[in-house]
């Protein structure tokens, strides 16, 4: 990756560090290394406020560069910094919401003379929430590949398939278009394989995970997504796979039907499209997340679908979420979130309705916030497509 | 899952807790919840030494049971325990190698009168390392499904394919046989999508991850596995996908060739098969992990392949590893590991050799330790199969 791009990202983190008088960060979690160094390594990225950054690498053993040095264990860090002519930090930040408790403590203990702060995750996620031009461009390329894969979905459907069989074929389309497959989520408790394909009443199954819709899954060790439902006439199917083609998690849902659906399903789908239209007409720098959430609820309620919005028995309490190297970044479009949109933020907006006896309808696209509005990244037909 | 099976697992953890005079554990990480409760929930499993366990659940909201109660946040735990007639713990263990630093501290702060110990991960992993009869049976079923998928690999190969295209087709075979797809690894730094398909010299590419062989990958955000190499005559291809069919990570590698390989490749492959035969002839309760590792090195060195064993420029420092709900459990078959095998342990043994200009050869099977030896779980042809 371009050094100028990495410098831009590092300086965004540094600006936030300066506000809290933090004079160095140690970054060692994979997504934050991808953000600041352009790749995953096993090692420690040392980011001082004033001096050039250093990358201390355990593995791979063939990485070279002016500011790259080998390391075996974190206890070497103070000596290695001294060798590089860097002072030990006064206030050092670590990734306190990502590093496991014991690993955090081991790393902190290497710097007994420093004040060690756990705000690294929070602050780096704040920097990551506003994308650079290059990051938005990567999202555009991801969205195009994502749309190419979805365009082929009707060609892999066969009557009599289960939701799971259809999911496997769509996963293959995604992989063929270049999807890396891996689905990165912030936080230890959410897990998913590539995304979900939800048909019929399975879309209402309450989930342990905080995704928009759940699904029962086929094994209690991963209770989410397709559950083996045989696809039948009158059912809707929502495809919601993560589009990680170059590290960034593009997000996009489309709805398919087996034959025709009851009219109510088309009405509900239309309500979601209207919610999307009205929310994105409002979306621009300065508007609050809660205002966008409230607008979506208002549109859907006016159409008479409030009870079925974002699930039935267990509802998701958001209508959109930031996306980036992880599927759940800032901002979150949810009640009581006063955070304002900023140019460069990228988010998924996913108004969805679940109808008992039919299944899920609605829409999800990825959007980039521009200087005066939003740009739709995932451009593809939005009507319900009959399979 | 059978309550008697869950009781058995919980009592194994309790026995280890008793040795350290720990009177309660809070378990909240997904794999440990699968182990102790048979499924993923979002919530807290409270395991006292003496009383019946309680499950406090945030999500899903439809989970019922005599010992299940709803919860919104960890700060409610002391009051909820009191409601259930349970005393607050004197010595409480948490999952210190899995919970993020801040989340650990938040949970610990709910119990100001308790001594809070971070040894939960270590101790639960020790319990998990010795499988129950039912867990070994799940591994047998996984291994059979895994072998069924691999048996179809020759049918999806097409001349001119890249390693990545072949990988996508094999992933589909695995999913069609019921693979859940998700690849669970212990530790925050290792990531992989389903496994790896390594062809030719890509098998020697040094990786940031501590898997047996690396591979460059196709994007620096996930530098592992297939790198887009076009499969060509004279190349070997190693397929090493994780076989997670019912929550347990079965592990199995097989080697394929494009046309015939140089004789040296067959010799090296044979050396790995001999290493497997000699190691598993020794393997039984009471033998140390290092003795098994040393035997593998001895056999391969005698055949003249020491320099190419487990990689070239960057070598893996193990020849096998425990498997279970995660791909990297105890025991590890590595130098200086004095841990002894016990009946019920399940491990993958993977002697592998990388030959420049040809690619990877060798074998990997999953094995269960019995009363007096080992049982091969992944039964399938072990010769190099020409595609």
């Amino acid at each position: 990756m371009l050094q100028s791009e990495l410098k831009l990202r590092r300086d965004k983190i540094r600006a936030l560090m300066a506000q809290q008088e933090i004079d160095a960060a140690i970054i060692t979690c994979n997504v934050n290394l991808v953000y600041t160094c352009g790749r995953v390594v096993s090692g420690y990225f040392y980011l001082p406020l004033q001096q050039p950054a250093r990358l201390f690498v355990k593995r791979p053993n063939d990485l070279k560069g002016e500011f790259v040095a080998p390391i075996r264990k974190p206890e070497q860090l103070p000596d290695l910094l001294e060798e590089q002519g860097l002072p030990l930090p006064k206030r050092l930040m670590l990734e306190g919401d990502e590093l496991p408790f014991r690993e955090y403590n081991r790393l902190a203990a290497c710097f007994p003379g420093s004040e060690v702060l756990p705000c690294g995750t929070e602050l780096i996620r704040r920097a990551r929430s506003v994308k650079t031009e290059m990051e938005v461009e990567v999202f555009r390329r991801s969205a195009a590949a994502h749309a190419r894969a979805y365009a082929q979905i009707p060609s892999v459907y066969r009557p009599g398939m289960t939701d799971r069989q259809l999911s496997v074929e769509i996963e293959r389309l995604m992989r063929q278009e270049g999807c890396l497959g891996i689905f990165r989520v912030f936080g230890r408790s959410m897990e998913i394989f590539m995304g979900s394909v939800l048909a019929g009443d399975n879309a209402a199954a309450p989930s342990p995970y905080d995704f928009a819709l759940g699904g029962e899954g086929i094994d209690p060790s991963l209770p989410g997504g397709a559950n083996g439902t045989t696809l039948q006439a009158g059912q809707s199917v929502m495809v919601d796979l993560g589009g990680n083609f170059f590290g960034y998690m593009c997000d996009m849902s489309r709805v398919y039907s087996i034959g025709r659906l009851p009219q109510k399903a088309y009405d509900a789908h239309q309500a979601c499209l209207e919610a999307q239209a009205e929310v994105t007409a409002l979306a621009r720098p300065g508007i609050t997340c809660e205002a966008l959430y409230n607008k979506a609820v208002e549109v859907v309620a006016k159409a008479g679908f409030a009870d079925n919005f974002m699930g039935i028995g267990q509802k998701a309490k958001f209508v959109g979420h930031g996306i980036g190297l992880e599927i759940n970044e800032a901002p979150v479009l949810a009640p009581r979130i006063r955070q304002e949109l900023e140019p460069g933020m990228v988010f998924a907006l996913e108004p969805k309705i679940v109808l008992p006896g039919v299944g899920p309808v609605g829409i999800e696209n990825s959007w980039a916030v521009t200087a005066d509005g939003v740009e739709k990244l995932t451009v593809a037909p939005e009507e319900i497509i009959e399979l």
Side-chain angles (χ1 to χ4, degrees), chain A residues 125-146:
Chain A
R125 279 174 63 83
R126 207 183 317 156
R128 279 169 38 198
S129 72
V130 177
K131 275 66 182 172
T132 64
E133 266 307 312
M134 182 178 284
E135 288 181 290
V136 175
E137 182 54 32
V138 172
F139 261 118
R140 284 190 196 101
R141 291 198 292 139
S142 297
H146 205 152

Side-chain angles (χ1 to χ4, degrees), chain A residues 136 140 366-370 373-378:
Chain A
V136 175
R140 284 190 196 101
S366 297
W367 303 80
V369 183
T370 62
V374 289
E375 171 191 343
K376 186 187 286 186
L377 300 169
T378 42

Side-chain angles (χ1 to χ4, degrees), chain A residues 26 51 66 100 105 108 142 193 231 245 270 305 349 352 373:
Chain A
I26 292 177
Q51 299 89 350
E66 188 185 356
N105 285 336
S142 297
F193 175 71
L231 302 180
F245 293 83
Q270 194 55 37
F305 293 104
L349 175 66
K352 295 175 180 176

